[in-house]
Amino acid sequence: MAPMGIRLSPLGMAVFCLLGLGVLYHLYSGFLAGRFAFFMLSEPAAGGPETPHGSAPGGAVDLRELLAVSVLAAVRGGEEVKRVREGNVLNAKAKGKTREGAEEQLTTGDLLSNRKMFYLLKGAFPAVQINSEERVDTADQETVSWDHSIPEDIKQKIQPKEVPAESVTVWIDPLDATQEYTEDLRQYVTTMVCVAVNGKPVIGVIHKPFSSYTAWAMVDGGSNVKARSSYNEKTPRIIVSRSHAGKVEQVARQTFGNKTVIIPAGGAGYKVLALLDVPEKNQEEADVYIHVTYIKKWDICAGNAVLRALGGHMTTLTGEEISYTGSDGNEGGLIASINMNHKALIEKLPDLEKTSHK
């Protein structure tokens, strides 16, 4: 009952109640909406959207799918590399110096290939860490979609295999042998993708843009490439970087004999392919691949994975396995071989390790 002498207006009471309801709505609507959104995200309704490809329940990824996307990424990146080179619009510039003092080149081919490869892989596998040689400019983001198709040769040779997304690191080299690319030495140029699980390389893709040849392999899975079978450990053919040929030649001849053949070449991807049975007329053949200085992991990860899948080896010059986590560089040089006594090779090269940190 209202106090004596005061009459409550029904209209006033209605206005007061509406104002009160408005205050309560303002205070609690955001909270309720947030809780509702959380519920919808945490508990999908039956018949709702399926889990996206490349990301299985529990934060897992299917390595077969990741291999398929890696092959596609290397090819798509290679298309950019080839288009820029054939159009002669490289716009080459120095991006810094190597530890040895040589100028490192950067071209439009590097940048466009990197953009295509990175965003294709990231779009298909958003939860996976991707390391690339070139910087990814978020202001220049590109939408590159994967149609979820898996090539028939991969379907036939590779079984689905899920691993935790947090255990995966992808290494991209959007243009290997940039120096040779600027010199129009096209046979050395590759685009590469590598997948490492817990630091071990398990998927490798090496694509040659100017011949459209692609080699891929998956450890404990399968491959579309084979190792060569003709080797001579007494007088091996050793493939090395063009800039390191003189440094390696003297020690190599002292170690293996005067008949040892030194093959100067560009690009880590090309050098690994030299150890394999590759149907390429411009591909040289070698028995051992040696690198005696610091090298980046995106240069060697794909080749390491391919060799491991085929029973070969790539280690530091002292025989240590190379981990593809942490820093992006490998300090210990490398020696790679297949169908050879890798341990015996390392024991023959004690002097080369001393040069690997220079």
Side-chain angles (χ1 to χ4, degrees), residues 107-326:
T107 70
T108 301
D110 293 90
L111 296 175
L112 294 181
S113 175
N114 183 69
R115 185 174 71 181
K116 190 75 69 173
M117 294 173 72
F118 178 87
Y119 285 114
L120 175 57
L121 285 157
K122 198 64 178 176
F125 294 90
V128 167
Q129 178 183 337
I130 301 176
N131 297 334
S132 179
E133 179 173 8
E134 306 304 337
R135 180 176 175 271
V136 179
D137 189 351
T138 54
D140 199 25
Q141 184 171 347
E142 180 175 354
T143 301
V144 189
S145 60
W146 175 46
D147 63 3
H148 310 307
S149 65
I150 299 176
E152 284 301 317
D153 59 342
I154 293 178
K155 278 185 180 179
Q156 292 173 6
K157 296 179 180 180
I158 307 295
Q159 296 299 315
K161 181 179 180 181
E162 291 184 356
V163 296
E166 63 270 18
S167 69
V168 176
T169 306
V170 176
W171 295 84
I172 298 175
D173 193 340
L175 201 170
D176 189 38
T178 299
Q179 180 61 46
E180 287 73 18
Y181 182 66
T182 64
E183 298 172 18
D184 209 15
L185 299 173
R186 304 183 183 195
Q187 72 270 25
Y188 297 128
V189 175
T190 62
T191 57
M192 297 187 286
V193 180
C194 176
V195 176
V197 177
N198 295 320
K200 295 183 181 296
V202 298
I203 290 174
V205 179
I206 304 175
H207 175 69
K208 300 184 77 172
F210 297 102
S211 67
S212 299
Y213 173 76
T214 306
W216 60 260
M218 178 172 160
V219 175
D220 296 328
S223 70
N224 72 340
V225 64
K226 297 179 180 179
R228 290 194 303 108
S229 57
S230 56
Y231 295 91
N232 189 337
E233 292 191 41
K234 294 181 179 179
T235 57
R237 297 168 58 86
I238 300 178
I239 194 164
V240 300
S241 294
R242 295 163 71 208
S243 58
H244 299 162
K247 183 181 293 186
V248 175
E249 183 171 5
Q250 184 177 0
V251 176
R253 291 190 187 282
Q254 290 173 354
T255 303
F256 296 108
N258 291 329
K259 293 183 179 180
T260 301
V261 177
I262 304 297
I263 305 172
Y270 178 89
K271 297 184 188 80
V272 168
L273 290 178
L275 306 181
L276 307 176
D277 185 9
V278 175
E280 288 279 290
K281 63 180 181 180
N282 291 326
Q283 178 66 60
E284 294 168 283
E285 296 181 351
D287 303 312
V288 182
Y289 165 28
I290 294 176
H291 188 87
V292 295
T293 60
Y294 174 87
I295 191 168
K296 292 296 183 69
K297 291 178 181 178
W298 42 67
D299 289 317
I300 60 176
C301 186
N304 197 342
V306 171
L307 289 174
R308 286 188 70 224
L310 298 176
H313 302 274
M314 179 184 288
T315 65
T316 66
L317 293 172
T318 57
E320 296 176 359
E321 297 293 333
I322 301 168
S323 175
Y324 294 90
T325 57

Side-chain angles (χ1 to χ4, degrees), residues 92-113:
K93 60 182 180 180
K95 67 175 182 179
K97 290 189 176 183
T98 67
R99 291 190 179 184
E100 299 165 290
E103 291 282 0
E104 283 193 284
Q105 297 290 310
L106 178 66
T107 70
T108 301
D110 293 90
L111 296 175
L112 294 181
S113 175

Side-chain angles (χ1 to χ4, degrees), residues 7-30:
R7 293 186 60 188
L8 296 178
S9 166
L11 178 61
M13 287 293 292
V15 170
F16 179 82
C17 289
L18 287 173
L19 287 173
L21 289 172
V23 171
L24 290 173
Y25 175 82
H26 177 74
L27 290 174
Y28 290 103
S29 62

Side-chain angles (χ1 to χ4, degrees), residues 23-66:
V23 171
L24 290 173
Y25 175 82
H26 177 74
L27 290 174
Y28 290 103
S29 62
F31 171 79
L32 292 173
R35 295 303 296 172
F36 178 75
F38 175 80
F39 173 79
M40 292 299 291
L41 288 172
S42 302
E43 299 291 336
E50 295 179 357
T51 303
H53 279 259
S55 181
V61 297
D62 180 4
L63 290 181
R64 184 171 74 166
E65 291 188 346
L66 189 45

Side-chain angles (χ1 to χ4, degrees), residues 323-341:
S323 175
Y324 294 90
T325 57
S327 69
D328 60 16
N330 172 51
E331 297 279 358
L334 70 85
I335 178 169
S337 69
I338 190 167
N339 287 344
M340 297 185 75
N341 188 332

